[in-house]
Amino acid sequence: MRAGAGAGSRRGGTAAGLFGATLLVAGVVLGAGGAYAQPSATPSGSATPGGRSTGNAQGDEDEDNGRKGDRGDKGDKGDKSGDRNGEKNGAGPKGRNGEPPDPSTSATTSASASATATAPPSGKPSGAARPAPAAAVLAAAAAGPGTGLPTAQGLQQALAGVLADRNLGTVGLAVADAADGQLLYGAAENTAATPASTTKLATSIAALSLIPADTRLTTRVVKNAATGGITLVGGGDPTLTGLPADQVLVGGVPADPDTAPASLDALARQTAAALKTTGATTVVLDYDVSLYTGSPLHKNHDGENIAAVTPLMVDEGKVDPKSREDAPARVTDPAGQAAEAFAALLKGQGVTVQGKPKPAAAPAAGDAPVLGRVDSPTVARLVERMLTTSDNTLAEAIARQAAIAAHQPAGFEGAATAVTQELARLGVPMTGVVLNDGSGLHTGNAIPPAVLVKLLALAASEQHPTLRPVLSGLPIAGFTGTLGKRFGTGSGAADAAGLVRAKTGSLSGVNTLAGTVVDADGRQLAFALMTRTAAPVDTARAAMDRVVAKLAACGCH
């Protein structure tokens, strides 16, 4: 089939396209055959991202969270209603908020992963469900005609015109069969480039490999024997909310039982009820943030695109918890603000906090009696939410959970080390890969396009079902999350709406897109497109979308 042939017979607009996109969400793995491919040669040593900016890009952060400094792409979050994507992978028990604490869990340890994450029902340790290493995530496609796979020659002919668009600037591209990760076509695919928010793919893969998908992050209140008061213990859940349930939105829509965040009000009600059984109506409150290490501020922290990264915060540290802005103003002290909000809720339950809550002098004792606890959605759901909306604050929290599971310090450096080591264990070639954070805001990150495709192939692999939330969390072109307003009328890529699921990313002058696309033969392809250009943001993105739309319209045999 020639480029573009069969597109009309395959689909009748974006509704059919969306149906095609659901194939991957449902975990359908298509058969694979061999095909001739001519990828670029792998460099012999560690690659250096060509032309990467070494300056501080503060204010030019990821487009998915507003990028207040580079406003040309403002509003690209679009329709964020795809946060749930209808998936139930790894969903744990419901009704977790507002329930009395389980006496069997009253003794926990704040300085370990068990203090911050609720174990799955089986009680397995965090490493028990880790996928085995992949022998070859991406291999060169074997020669063989008549397999139905796109060929390197067919892809080159189909893409030549759109790749010549000057608005793309410097381009790196990798295309593979999503069924088994066979590399079909590449252009500078082994050259490391700045990944921006596609870094979140690496964070998600490592976290889901290290942590059971049904793990939940726990915020709790314990008795403090030293002060005679109570301690609010942060468990690393930035989605903990102070809003009433009927005001909570996730991705712009009301939360369902799987996606609803833990409730600070429910925690206050539990705690007040427990205190009143002892006759206490006045208490001293402190708060424990010992779970994380190092500075809470990202190198490119701006108080908008990302909050100070602390294990205790409410509504991701937003000044206005109801804000729908892409990059809302954040409080300067998320942990202190959360403790004060908790004190106010206690007062509403008839328990007065003496003075102002203060940081705890020492971590909460492991055997301290638990007065209340609330749990986040499962890690699988948090990963989906993070990818769909490209949530930087949530990404850094998930990266720290990966660090804890890998026995690394729970800070920026330890999280990057944990992710790097786990990807290597999974068989991902790490030549040229440099990670400094979990969100992709750091301009010093570097990943080759071929590695991003390898990560997507891992998530699609039958051997790694625990990684599937990476795919179900990807935004759908023209419909959800950060792709909600892309691939639209006038973009030249509208025919691919619903056929593409991809993680977006941008920093100043950098735009990336990595995900999956259904081609004209109904085959799932994985792709990674990385560009550096001086073109206006919207112009560059439209040019990228047209490249991916060509893949969707192409049999490319």
Side-chain angles (χ1 to χ4, degrees):
M1 183 179 298
R2 300 186 62 180
S9 62
R10 176 188 56 184
R11 59 186 183 275
T14 56
L18 181 57
F19 172 77
T22 63
L23 290 175
L24 192 54
V25 181
V28 175
V29 179
L30 303 177
Y36 173 79
Q38 190 64 45
S40 303
T42 303
S44 58
S46 297
T48 301
R52 288 192 296 114
S53 171
T54 58
N56 188 326
Q58 185 165 341
D60 292 322
E61 280 79 6
D62 188 84
E63 91 291 358
D64 309 326
N65 284 308
R67 285 183 54 221
K68 288 290 182 82
D70 188 359
R71 297 177 184 269
D73 57 355
K74 182 71 174 174
D76 235 36
K77 291 181 80 80
D79 177 7
K80 295 178 279 186
S81 62
D83 215 37
R84 299 186 304 277
N85 292 318
E87 292 297 299
K88 308 298 179 185
N89 300 328
K94 300 177 179 63
R96 60 191 179 275
N97 295 325
E99 299 177 358
D102 184 348
S104 66
T105 61
S106 61
T108 53
T109 305
S110 65
S112 67
S114 63
T116 65
T118 303
S122 63
K124 294 179 181 179
S126 62
R130 291 166 64 188
V137 179
L138 269 183
T147 62
L149 279 169
T151 65
Q153 182 178 7
L155 287 165
Q156 184 177 26
Q157 291 175 347
L159 299 176
V162 286
L163 287 176
D165 191 327
R166 293 183 179 181
N167 291 309
L168 293 172
T170 303
V171 178
L173 172 66
V175 180
D177 179 14
D180 62 2
Q182 294 184 69
L183 185 62
L184 303 174
Y185 179 74
E189 74 274 16
N190 292 309
T191 300
T194 306
S197 263
T198 54
T199 300
K200 293 180 175 72
L201 293 173
T203 301
S204 300
I205 291 285
L208 289 171
S209 178
L210 285 162
I211 308 166
D214 54 358
T215 298
R216 299 176 186 272
L217 310 183
T218 300
T219 306
R220 59 200 172 94
V221 178
V222 301
K223 288 185 177 180
N224 188 326
T227 65
I230 60 176
T231 300
L232 175 61
V233 183
D237 176 16
T239 67
L240 176 70
T241 184
L243 293 173
D246 61 356
Q247 297 181 24
V248 174
L249 299 178
V250 177
V253 298
D256 62 22
D258 281 345
T259 61
S263 167
L264 191 68
D265 180 65
L267 184 61
R269 290 176 182 275
Q270 292 179 30
T271 303
L275 289 170
K276 288 177 181 178
T277 61
T278 66
T281 57
T282 303
V283 294
V284 174
L285 171 67
D286 59 16
Y287 53 96
D288 179 359
V289 291
S290 62
L291 183 66
Y292 292 173
T293 63
S295 171
L297 299 183
H298 190 281
K299 178 179 180 291
N300 291 334
H301 177 81
D302 63 356
E304 294 173 339
N305 284 283
I306 188 171
V309 185
T310 65
L312 176 64
M313 65 174 67
V314 177
D315 296 303
E316 301 197 49
K318 297 177 183 178
V319 172
D320 176 8
K322 296 181 183 179
S323 174
R324 296 284 303 279
E325 291 187 21
D326 295 341
R330 315 278 182 160
V331 300
T332 57
D333 179 14
Q337 184 266 345
E340 291 181 12
F342 182 67
L345 290 170
L346 282 179
K347 186 175 182 180
Q349 296 298 316
V351 175
T352 301
V353 172
Q354 294 179 345
K356 185 177 181 179
K358 297 180 180 179
D367 59 354
V370 176
L371 302 176
R373 60 174 291 165
V374 290
D375 300 320
S376 74
T378 64
V379 167
R381 297 285 79 76
L382 293 177
V383 165
E384 287 181 334
R385 171 174 172 172
M386 179 261 286
L387 291 172
T388 302
T389 62
S390 198
D391 190 318
N392 292 324
T393 301
L394 182 53
E396 296 300 346
I398 290 172
R400 278 156 180 72
Q401 293 298 325
I404 292 168
H407 308 290
Q408 295 288 337
F412 288 104
E413 184 176 348
T417 297
V419 171
T420 299
Q421 291 180 349
E422 186 62 13
L423 295 183
R425 191 194 71 82
L426 288 169
V428 178
M430 300 301 286
T431 299
V433 175
V434 178
L435 297 178
N436 295 281
D437 66 7
S439 61
L441 287 175
H442 200 292
T443 57
N445 291 345
I447 304 178
V451 171
L452 290 175
V453 172
K454 295 174 195 289
L455 296 176
L456 292 163
L458 268 177
S461 170
E462 288 182 306
Q463 285 72 47
H464 302 286
T466 58
L467 304 181
R468 205 71 78 240
V470 172
L471 301 183
S472 55
L474 294 175
I476 301 173
F479 287 88
T480 64
T482 58
L483 286 183
K485 292 184 178 180
R486 291 176 63 167
F487 292 83
T489 302
S491 68
D495 283 347
L499 299 173
V500 178
R501 301 194 70 139
K503 181 70 200 75
T504 57
S506 78
L507 294 167
S508 182
V510 170
N511 286 280
T512 59
L513 194 64
T516 63
V517 59
V518 182
D519 73 5
D521 294 334
R523 182 181 295 277
Q524 291 282 351
L525 302 178
F527 69 89
L529 181 60
M530 309 180 77
T531 71
R532 175 174 289 280
T533 178
V537 172
D538 290 341
T539 302
R541 288 180 184 162
M544 295 176 71
D545 295 349
R546 289 191 289 273
V547 174
V548 181
K550 277 292 184 181
L551 288 175
C554 174
C556 298
H557 304 310

